Amino acid sequence: TTTTTTTTTTTLPEEISCMAFGDPHVVSFDQARRIKELGMLTHIEMWEQVRKVPFVYWSTFLESGSFWLVSSAQIKIQVLYGPPGGWIRDVVVGGSFLQGHLFRVTVEGLDVHMSWDGEPVLQDFPDAFSDEQGLIEARFIENDLYQDVEKLAGRHHWRLRTKMRSLELTLPSAVRMTINIGKGWSGDNFLDVFLTMRKQEDGQDGHCGRGEGDNNVDWLRWRVDPLESLVSPPALLLETGRAMATNASTTTNESNVTTDYCTEGAQEEFAEPCEHVLNQTGNAIPMLFLDACKMDVCMGGPEMLSHIATVAYQAYYKVAAAAAGLALCEFPPSHSHPYMWDPTCYMGGLGCLADGKNIECRYCGFGPYESIPCP
């Protein structure tokens, strides 16, 4: 008698990433894929690609109102771009993957409001929240990378005593989000959004794009119709009206002056300080955000230097660090512990030199390295 064993291998859909930050700038699924590919190259190869192969790694969208960041059959994420320019003021996550539930983060002035189905959550800092069904795990924590950026840049002043707050979300269907709470030029809060998810079988679209390699986003098409909004139509109309009214009222006041001042030529004044905070490790990926840094520091003031640098390094860790580790670390095939490629590593650093050959190869997320988060 012969027994035949059949093994079935399931290939998971591609993991794709997107981010929206600052004034705002959006790194689409296609642009993030390109950043990930860069991260897998050696140092020399990476810089050669950046210098020789023209590519737009992020786009700027200067429009107020509610738009779909992601729109698919199951996953819905809408954002409210508020004036001046479009700093993100509101993020709403819903869709059938949350079984009809809604998670929302809103900033108004210096206030931050978070809710699950309209009920306030995460009202302390630090704080954590999860629902009874296990649909959401949320942690409201200090962003340690902000302090690391300050130390890397040697900026020994009061900002070393300040904290950047970030919200880490784990959601169904392998959706992960990080939402930073930042402070803009007026002192008001704004939001940055980082998203990682699997490509959807029936596709996805919105300001994060389609993720199909065409690098094409129809920006105005994805304005949220009040009848399709995740929040109630009256609430959406009220919020959009406020954004438009504020935009209109500031057009002839300070925002107009700021916008006029922050021409491309004026932004060059901030090239040197931006390059200083972005180029601390020699890795090319943070430097991809140099022009975004110049723009946001010009619009938002020197406080934005550390913020945009933090966002740039977050982009590396969330998009490229794991793939770079797989490509560049030199472990035997049987190796099983989690690791990444960390350009901030130094000799003697916790988890660094994990493979015994490359200082940047770093253990993360287990045992003595539990304090080092894996991408």
Side-chain angles (χ1 to χ4, degrees), residues 113-185:
H113 306 284
M114 305 183 202
S115 65
W116 177 252
D117 291 338
E119 295 295 323
V121 296
L122 300 163
Q123 298 182 77
D124 297 321
F125 180 80
D127 206 350
F129 168 76
S130 60
D131 73 310
E132 294 180 354
Q133 296 172 270
L135 295 172
I136 178 173
E137 291 185 7
R139 296 182 301 127
F140 192 26
I141 59 175
E142 181 179 350
N143 188 325
D144 293 332
L145 191 55
Y146 181 84
Q147 297 293 327
D148 293 341
V149 165
E150 290 289 354
K151 293 172 184 175
L152 276 172
R155 293 156 63 83
H156 301 293
H157 50 52
W158 60 269
R159 287 193 190 89
L160 282 172
R161 300 191 298 273
T162 64
K163 297 178 180 180
M164 177 189 282
R165 295 170 293 170
S166 291
L167 180 65
E168 297 286 349
L169 299 176
T170 302
L171 303 169
S173 302
V175 175
R176 305 190 305 276
M177 296 181 68
T178 298
I179 301 175
N180 295 337
I181 291 89
K183 289 186 179 180
W185 62 276

Side-chain angles (χ1 to χ4, degrees), residues 161-238:
R161 300 191 298 273
T162 64
K163 297 178 180 180
M164 177 189 282
R165 295 170 293 170
S166 291
L167 180 65
E168 297 286 349
L169 299 176
T170 302
L171 303 169
S173 302
V175 175
R176 305 190 305 276
M177 296 181 68
T178 298
I179 301 175
N180 295 337
I181 291 89
K183 289 186 179 180
W185 62 276
S186 62
D188 291 348
N189 287 327
F190 64 92
L191 304 172
D192 305 314
V193 183
F194 297 82
L195 166 69
T196 298
M197 56 182 269
R198 296 285 179 186
K199 284 187 73 172
Q200 300 297 288
E201 185 177 351
D202 51 1
Q204 56 281 312
D205 215 325
H207 280 185
C208 283
R210 298 170 59 240
E212 297 297 335
D214 55 11
N215 202 32
N216 184 32
V217 177
D218 189 343
W219 297 98
L220 294 177
R221 174 191 171 193
W222 293 104
R223 186 181 293 276
V224 176
D225 185 316
L227 296 178
E228 298 178 350
S229 173
L230 294 175
V231 298
S232 66
L236 178 70
L237 289 171
L238 178 62

Side-chain angles (χ1 to χ4, degrees), residues 64-68 78-81 90 92 104 222-244:
S64 298
S66 288
F67 290 83
W68 292 112
Q78 74 181 58
V79 294
L80 174 67
Y81 300 130
D90 189 35
V92 190
R104 187 175 189 182
W222 293 104
R223 186 181 293 276
V224 176
D225 185 316
L227 296 178
E228 298 178 350
S229 173
L230 294 175
V231 298
S232 66
L236 178 70
L237 289 171
L238 178 62
E239 291 162 355
T240 302
R242 284 175 180 166
M244 297 301 186

Side-chain angles (χ1 to χ4, degrees), residues 46 52 88 96 109 128 145 187 191 207 241 254 271 348:
M46 186 187 304
K52 295 180 180 179
I88 299 173
S96 60
L145 191 55
L191 304 172
H207 280 185
E254 55 190 346

